[in-house]
Every structure is written in structure tokens, then in C-alpha cells.
Amino acid sequence: MYASLDTTLGQYDAGQIPQDVAALCDTVTAMIEALRPRNRAVWHMTIEGSVRGEIADARDIKIVDVNNALYAFRTKVKTLRQRGELVIPLALEAE
């Protein structure tokens, strides 16, 4: 398992995370944990800083499978944002 998404991405020190950012990170983390095992592993490795080729080699899958896992999740996030079901805090929106 990895550290919390917000501290892993280097946005905030532990204990100084704004509530809206923490809520978003919790939501995204829950979404990742609900993925199929292979896609979940791709996202864990992506968050930890692995590049697509490294992920493909480590998981013994094709780069296209890595790309598909990343694309499917990003599309879901984009759809949720468009529906207003996933709100990005203004502090992060600017980045």
C-alpha cells in the first residue's frame, strides 16, 4: 500500500492538508481501490512514480494495456467532473 494520495503527490505535508483536498484524495483513492486488480496496480505504480514502460514490464502486460487503464480512469474522472459529482478544490485547480 502507498502513503495517502495527497502526501504521495507532494502537495502537502502530513497534518497540513486542507479538508477539501483531503476529501478529494479520499474519493480518488476509493475510486482507484474499486478498480480491477490490474488497473488498480497500474494506478498504484503511476502514483508511486513509475513510467508506463516500467509498469508494463513489472506487471508483464503490454504498454497499450497500461495506457487503457490510465485512459479509462481519466475518462471516468472527467465525466464525474462534468456532471459536478467530483469537485476539484480551487487551490488544486490552479495547478
Side-chain angles (χ1 to χ4, degrees), residues 14-91:
Q16 298 178 336
I17 303 162
Q19 186 174 351
D20 57 348
V21 173
L24 173 64
C25 290
D26 289 345
T27 299
V28 172
T29 299
M31 290 171 63
I32 291 170
E33 293 306 313
L35 295 172
R36 293 183 336 180
R38 182 179 71 187
N39 291 357
R40 184 173 52 245
V42 166
W43 273 99
H44 280 262
M45 293 181 75
T46 299
I47 291 167
E48 291 167 354
S50 298
V51 296
R52 292 171 185 187
E54 293 171 334
I55 297 168
D57 290 344
R59 302 300 301 171
D60 196 27
I61 58 177
K62 298 176 185 175
I63 289 181
V64 69
D65 294 326
V66 174
N67 290 338
N68 288 341
L70 298 174
Y71 177 79
F73 187 79
R74 288 180 179 136
T75 300
K76 182 175 182 175
V77 168
K78 182 178 178 180
T79 300
L80 292 173
R81 289 186 67 197
Q82 289 171 339
R83 292 181 186 163
E85 297 174 25
L86 183 65
V87 178
I88 306 299
L90 292 177

